[in-house]
Amino acid sequence: MTESVAVTTIDSPVGPLLLAATSRGLLQVHFQWEDVDDSRRWIEDHIGPLDGEPGWLGAPVAQLREYFAGDRRRFDLALDRRLSSGFRKEAQDAMAMIPYGQVMSYAEVAATAGRPRAVRAVGSACATNPLPLVIPCHRVVRSDGSMGGFAGGVKTKEALLALERSHLG
């Protein structure tokens, strides 16, 4: 069964973001350096046509703008989580609990998700997170405090953490 998907692009301090939503909620967030055309084709092939209601994106756009302005520390959005399952989803749920402006190690996320030895699986959950920023995988770092990887690039990860810390004081 296919489902309509609405898409839009917004500007942000870390570059343009492509947002995709269904009637269930926000489905994906893509950074500018990811192949947007490939992402659109994948969505059309696996979810449905890009002819969804633009209103589905109203709350995500508004809340992301508030986040970047420092006025939102936690997202309150309907999410379409069908692109994550199993331990990846459990690890992403644990990531969602990391407070604004703070970090947890991959090992701490694994333990929070109930599988303390699944550190590499947490890395995989970060790498495949379809909702970066909203599910804050940028707040997951290595045990030694170094950044580790990030789908949006390490410089973006550093910029997001700096942005959050600048709004804490």
Side-chain angles (χ1 to χ4, degrees):
M1 181 173 121
T2 63
E3 183 172 351
S4 293
V5 181
V7 296
T8 194
T9 302
I10 64 168
D11 289 324
S12 82
V14 293
L17 300 172
L18 174 75
L19 308 180
T22 67
S23 61
R24 299 178 197 190
L26 185 63
L27 178 72
Q28 288 183 309
V29 176
H30 288 276
F31 292 97
Q32 68 179 356
W33 36 82
E34 296 178 300
D35 190 326
V36 172
D37 290 334
D38 280 350
S39 297
R40 288 175 183 258
R41 278 190 294 279
W42 188 92
I43 291 167
E44 286 183 309
D45 291 347
H46 294 89
I47 307 296
L50 304 181
D51 61 359
E53 293 295 322
W56 297 340
L57 291 160
V61 167
Q63 289 191 28
L64 280 164
R65 287 188 176 139
E66 292 167 358
Y67 166 80
F68 286 116
D71 298 328
R72 176 169 293 279
R73 294 182 178 194
R74 188 163 196 78
F75 292 95
D76 182 22
L77 295 169
L79 302 176
D80 184 337
R81 299 287 307 276
R82 76 176 91 179
L83 300 179
S84 296
S85 61
F87 183 72
R88 286 182 178 176
K89 184 176 182 301
E90 292 169 25
Q92 291 163 5
D93 289 343
M95 290 173 216
M97 295 186 287
I98 304 171
Y100 181 91
Q102 297 182 28
V103 295
M104 285 178 74
S105 70
Y106 293 95
E108 290 170 322
V109 172
T112 300
R115 289 188 39 204
R117 296 173 46 107
V119 176
R120 287 184 185 224
V122 169
S124 177
C126 288
T128 60
N129 178 7
L131 295 163
L133 303 175
V134 176
I135 296 176
C137 55
H138 64 279
R139 297 180 190 150
V140 182
V141 298
R142 293 183 176 146
S143 294
D144 66 4
S146 63
M147 289 292 110
F150 185 61
V154 173
K155 289 189 186 301
T156 299
K157 185 175 189 171
E158 291 169 340
L160 291 168
L161 291 171
L163 178 127
E164 291 181 7
R165 290 179 180 140
S166 75
H167 291 117
L168 287 175

